[in-house]
């Protein structure tokens, strides 16, 4: 856990000090306040320690399987073109990297670089408080998906990078992006639900009806879940489907954590600065879907719903900053709220990483075994 706590400490430092040492490209008026926007280069530079640690792992969670798959790839163009499963782009990309640098840790590092880049692209433009987003990326254990389940996280971050398309209502382009992301991981098609949900005004009657209907659908229609096994049967994901469907599901505490930003949003549902701004409103809708999926996962059982929820969980990087910026006055009030939020997520980080998952870090490259 020492490695993971060091990553949390680093992002906490970045979150507290980014205004002093980030190069702010420009500032715009946001909710009556000057909003500083860091440059993409400075954001990526601050994330280099995370990228390095993630790239140097050799035996964390499912990393061994990924390294074995990489080592078994034939590094030729003809072999790359013969890869035709539903997740083909992930392994075609891996083959391309192997043709250039035949080293599994180089591939893990390059993959991590692009995942972080996709996140930073959207955080740069749409986070009201980038410092909070940096902290939350680790404290909310979002970073864990870069260690475990990185293939799906490529699809998650790629779609997150396309958030601008949702905000600007470029739906055809976003659908094409979903199709592209699905070539890395078939679960990306779940974001069609996110696309449809982006049409709805937060806390409208239509939203309440859809939330209730969607929740009951996921809880009570077991054949729908079973049918998903057919859809994923030709992908790498199919080998996990039976286990995911038969697992005990997610801890109810995780569902509670997913409900926190939704509860805050409901409490401030009349805040026009928050919900009349499409940049914030769409992200908030995604957090509602995240809560719905986690509630369903905690009731139905199985980890499949939690896997789908990951496409929506990442939008908390935008939702919490928007809540703090729009709903609390700048100064002491906001500082107290942010500190309480930080303490809450540090406890969550400890519980999830140390108690629940008991994640260890192993790197034969660095000689680190924690």
């Amino acid at each position: 856990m020492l490695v993971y706590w060091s990553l949390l400490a680093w992002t906490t430092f970045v979150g507290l000090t980014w205004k002093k040492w980030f190069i702010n490209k420009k500032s715009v008026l946001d909710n009556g306040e000057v909003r500083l926007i860091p440059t993409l280069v400075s954001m990526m530079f601050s994330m280099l320690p995370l990228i390095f640690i993630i790239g140097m792992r050799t035996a964390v969670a499912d990393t061994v399987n990924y390294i074995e798959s990489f080592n078994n790839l034939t590094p030729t163009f003809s072999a790359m073109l013969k890869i035709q499963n539903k997740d083909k782009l992930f392994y075609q990309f891996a083959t391309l990297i192997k043709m250039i640098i035949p080293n599994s840790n180089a591939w893990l590092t390059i993959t991590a670089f692009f995942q972080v880049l996709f996140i930073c692209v959207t955080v740069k433009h749409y986070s009201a408080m980038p410092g909070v987003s940096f902290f939350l990326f680790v404290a909310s254990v979002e970073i864990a998906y870069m260690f475990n389940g990185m293939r799906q996280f490529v699809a998650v971050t790629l779609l997150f990078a396309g958030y601008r398309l949702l905000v600007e209502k470029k739906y055809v382009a976003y659908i094409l992006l979903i199709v592209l992301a699905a070539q890395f991981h078939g679960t990306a098609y779940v974001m069609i639900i996110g696309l449809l949900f982006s049409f709805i005004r937060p806390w409208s009657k239509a939203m309440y009806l859809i939330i209730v209907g969607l929740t009951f659908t996921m809880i009570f229609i077991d054949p729908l879940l079973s049918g998903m096994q057919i859809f994923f049967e030709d992908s790498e994901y199919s080998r996990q489907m039976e286990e995911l469907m038969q697992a005990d599901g997610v801890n109810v505490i995780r569902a509670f954590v997913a409900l926190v930003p939704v509860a805050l949003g409901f409490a401030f549902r009349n805040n026009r600065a928050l919900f009349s701004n499409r940049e914030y409103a769409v992200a908030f809708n995604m957090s509602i879907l995240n809560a719905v999926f986690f509630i369903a996962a905690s009731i139905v059982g199985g980890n499949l719903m939690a896997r789908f929820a990951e496409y929506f969980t990442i939008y908390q990087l935008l939702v919490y900053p928007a809540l703090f910026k729009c709903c609390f006055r700048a100064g002491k009030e906001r500082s107290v709220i942010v500190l309480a939020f930080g303490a809450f997520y540090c406890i969550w980080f400890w519980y999830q990483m140390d108690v629940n998952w008991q994640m260890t870090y192993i790197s034969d490259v660095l000689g680190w075994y924690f």
Side-chain angles (χ1 to χ4, degrees):
M1 278 296 295
L2 179 62
V3 171
Y4 302 118
W5 279 104
S6 68
L7 295 179
L8 179 61
W10 173 251
T11 51
T12 301
F13 170 75
V14 170
L16 291 172
T17 64
W18 73 274
K19 291 182 181 180
K20 297 180 180 179
W21 58 281
F22 273 28
I23 303 172
N24 298 305
K25 186 177 181 180
K26 60 180 179 179
S27 62
V28 297
L29 291 177
D30 182 31
N31 193 31
E33 299 178 38
V34 174
R35 176 183 170 191
L36 299 178
I37 302 177
T39 64
L40 187 60
V41 172
S42 63
M43 295 174 72
M44 290 300 296
F45 181 79
S46 70
M47 294 293 104
L48 286 180
L50 279 68
I51 294 170
F52 176 76
I53 294 298
I54 292 166
M56 291 300 105
R57 72 190 190 277
T58 54
V60 179
D62 58 7
T63 300
V64 173
N65 296 331
Y66 280 117
I67 291 177
E68 182 180 356
S69 297
F70 180 84
N71 291 335
N72 291 334
L73 292 172
T74 302
T76 64
F77 277 107
S78 60
M80 181 178 71
L81 296 176
K82 288 179 181 178
I83 299 174
Q84 293 298 323
N85 57 22
K86 289 184 179 180
D87 308 320
K88 61 183 180 182
L89 281 186
F90 179 81
Y91 292 104
Q92 287 177 341
F93 174 73
T95 303
L96 181 62
I97 296 300
K98 191 172 183 178
M99 284 189 285
I100 302 171
I101 310 174
N103 181 280
S104 59
N105 287 103
W107 168 58
L108 294 176
T109 302
I110 293 170
T111 302
F113 176 87
F114 279 107
Q115 289 172 330
V116 172
L117 176 64
F118 293 153
I119 292 171
C120 287
V121 164
T122 292
V123 168
K124 166 184 163 63
H125 290 289
Y126 294 108
S127 175
M129 301 173 69
V132 171
S133 299
F134 283 123
F135 167 78
L136 191 60
F137 176 58
V138 176
S140 68
V141 303
E142 191 72 17
I143 194 175
Y145 295 100
M146 297 183 71
F147 291 97
N148 182 27
M150 73 169 189
R151 181 162 50 88
Q152 182 186 2
F153 202 61
V154 171
V156 170
T157 54
L158 180 59
L159 288 169
F160 187 64
Y163 183 64
R164 179 190 291 269
L165 300 176
L166 281 180
V167 172
E168 297 179 358
K169 301 182 180 181
K170 297 179 179 179
Y171 300 128
V172 174
Y174 192 75
I175 290 173
L176 293 176
L177 185 63
I178 291 175
V179 173
L180 176 64
Q183 307 314 303
F184 288 93
H185 204 277
T187 53
Y189 286 116
V190 75
M191 277 305 293
I192 293 175
I193 298 176
L195 171 64
L196 297 175
F197 214 60
S198 71
F199 299 160
I200 304 171
R201 183 170 56 86
W203 304 122
S204 63
K205 292 181 180 179
M207 171 172 280
Y208 289 123
L209 289 174
I210 291 174
I211 289 173
V212 172
L214 191 60
T215 302
F216 274 88
T217 297
M218 289 190 292
I219 292 176
F220 293 108
I221 302 184
D222 288 335
L224 176 64
L225 301 181
S226 300
M228 292 178 183
Q229 296 184 52
I230 299 175
F231 182 79
F232 294 115
E233 64 182 358
D234 295 328
S235 70
E236 289 293 318
Y237 197 63
S238 63
R239 291 183 292 183
Q240 305 173 30
M241 283 296 299
E242 185 176 352
E243 177 185 349
L244 290 170
M245 295 296 293
Q246 294 178 354
D248 293 333
V250 302
N251 191 307
V252 68
I253 298 176
R254 198 171 180 189
F256 168 77
V257 171
L259 274 171
V260 171
V262 178
L264 287 173
F266 182 79
F268 293 99
R269 60 189 178 279
N270 295 321
N271 188 301
R272 291 183 58 82
L274 180 62
F275 293 115
S276 64
N277 186 332
R278 183 168 172 80
E279 295 181 8
Y280 300 155
V282 173
F284 187 78
N285 283 358
M286 299 303 167
S287 72
I288 291 177
L289 285 175
N290 178 54
V292 169
F293 272 97
F294 271 122
I295 290 172
S298 65
I299 296 174
V300 173
N303 292 326
L304 182 59
M305 285 296 183
R307 292 292 184 107
F308 286 148
E310 175 52 24
Y311 287 92
F312 309 105
T313 303
I314 196 169
Y315 289 91
Q316 293 185 56
L317 303 184
L318 307 180
V319 169
Y320 275 114
L323 284 167
F324 297 152
K325 188 89 173 208
C326 297
C327 302
F328 301 97
R329 290 190 299 269
K332 184 176 180 180
E333 179 181 275
R334 185 182 296 166
S335 297
V336 170
I337 294 297
V338 172
L339 285 174
F341 154 84
F344 171 78
Y345 266 98
C346 282
I347 295 172
W348 169 245
F349 178 84
W350 164 78
Y351 170 77
Q352 192 72 336
M353 297 291 284
D354 197 19
V355 178
N356 191 22
W357 290 341
Q358 299 180 353
M359 283 188 66
T360 57
Y361 181 85
I362 297 175
S363 172
D364 294 333
V365 178
L366 301 176
W368 292 359
Y369 307 96
F370 298 109

